[in-house]
Amino acid sequence: MRVYVPLTLPGLAEAYRTGELGDGPLLAYAVTPALREWYVSEDIEELEYAALSRAALASLRLLAADPGAPRRRVVVAVDVPDKAAAADPDRGLDPAALGEVRVAGTVPLAKAAAVHVDAADAEADVAAAAQALPAADGGDDDARFVVDGAEDHELLWYATQEIPHLIGPVD
């Protein structure tokens, strides 16, 4: 199963340093039955993109919680055994949990298929979105518009061999 793990650039640097995305349970996003029902498509590429977009929003939430992190969303696409990822049945169709899965066990960075990261020119919109996120969650339509502004930026695709270039020097 392909899952999308939300991170920040410091989180990606830590994963590169340790060789692991985490030792579980790890929050990720995937094509779940609830996501299929919500998105109403059978096109797997569209569904995968929807899962990636959900992970990008989760990355934005990580950025909102870490004001020192560079304002670029990061999502790592990784393949895990089907049995390693499970959706929480209690969250079902909760809009905040669409596509959300928990991945059990250690997830080696070596299993990553690709890394998706905002371009540098998205930083201002991503910074504004991270700041507006609490108000958007509270129902503020203007703040929701600002958050949507970050979603207008497509995440760029990088091969895993490019991670050192993305994170810069690692101590």
Side-chain angles (χ1 to χ4, degrees):
M1 170 185 284
R2 169 80 36 106
V3 299
Y4 298 90
V5 179
L7 291 175
T8 61
L9 284 173
L12 182 61
E14 178 65 13
Y16 184 73
R17 188 184 67 73
T18 64
E20 296 178 352
L21 288 169
D23 56 5
L26 185 65
L27 173 70
Y29 292 81
V31 177
T32 63
L35 184 75
R36 283 181 188 273
E37 186 175 326
W38 171 73
Y39 197 75
V40 191
S41 175
E42 290 303 315
D43 183 323
I44 192 64
E45 287 184 16
E46 288 181 14
L47 291 165
E48 292 279 345
Y49 184 77
L52 171 65
S53 296
R54 301 293 296 170
L57 179 58
S59 176
L60 185 64
R61 291 187 183 289
L62 294 173
L63 290 172
D66 184 0
R71 307 283 91 180
R72 294 170 73 185
R73 298 168 298 164
V74 177
V75 176
V76 178
V78 62
D79 295 316
V80 299
D82 288 348
K83 292 181 180 180
D88 182 346
D90 293 334
R91 293 198 53 171
L93 294 176
D94 175 355
L98 289 171
E100 188 178 284
V101 295
R102 298 285 173 181
V103 180
T106 300
V107 179
L109 185 59
K111 295 289 185 185
V115 179
H116 303 270
V117 181
D118 276 310
D121 67 356
E123 286 185 15
D125 288 338
V126 171
Q131 187 173 7
L133 199 53
D137 287 345
D140 183 317
D141 288 337
D142 291 334
R144 181 79 241 160
F145 182 77
V146 173
V147 171
D148 290 346
E151 294 173 3
D152 289 343
H153 293 276
E154 295 287 330
L155 296 178
L156 302 178
W157 181 94
Y158 293 91
T160 56
Q161 298 87 336
E162 296 177 276
I163 292 173
H165 167 72
L166 291 169
I167 61 174
V170 178
D171 294 333

